[in-house]
Amino acid sequence: MGHREGQQATDGGGREFDRVADELRHRMTGGVYPLGSLMPAQRDLAQEFGVSRDTVQRVLRELRNEGWIESRQGSGSRVVKTQRIQFSAA
């Protein structure tokens, strides 16, 4: 994982993806989306951030893979983690 420097899609996908993902992580750690709360609808996030729903779907998939949220078809995405887990390189 990491930033996608040098990868530029026609819609600026890499930068937009990182910007939205970072902001949503920030909102979860900052309490805007507290533990157990539902995330806004994909179309609302897409409109707020000025990105495509495809970008929002990719961000939510990434956050799900990282353990931040759980998604259920038709029920939206629920916050299940609100802090970054630090692993020591022991």
Side-chain angles (χ1 to χ4, degrees):
M1 285 186 285
H3 291 313
R4 293 151 187 83
E5 291 159 359
Q7 176 189 6
Q8 268 188 305
T10 51
D11 65 346
R15 275 185 319 233
E16 293 299 301
F17 177 93
D18 287 338
R19 177 175 66 88
V20 175
D22 287 346
E23 177 59 26
L24 292 179
R25 286 186 201 101
H26 178 72
R27 291 180 184 186
M28 287 183 279
T29 58
V32 176
Y33 303 145
L35 192 65
S37 67
L38 281 174
M39 300 285 288
Q42 290 180 9
R43 72 178 158 282
D44 295 339
L45 290 170
Q47 188 172 20
E48 177 184 352
F49 288 106
V51 298
S52 68
R53 276 190 66 188
D54 180 62
T55 297
V56 170
Q57 288 170 346
R58 289 189 307 130
V59 167
L60 293 177
R61 193 175 313 122
E62 174 84 357
L63 295 176
R64 190 167 54 247
N65 291 342
E66 293 175 358
W68 289 97
I69 62 173
E70 285 181 354
S71 300
R72 187 166 292 136
Q73 190 70 32
S75 299
S77 300
R78 186 174 301 278
V79 178
V80 295
K81 180 174 89 170
T82 58
Q83 61 186 5
R84 292 185 182 272
I85 306 300
Q86 300 295 327
F87 293 103
S88 61

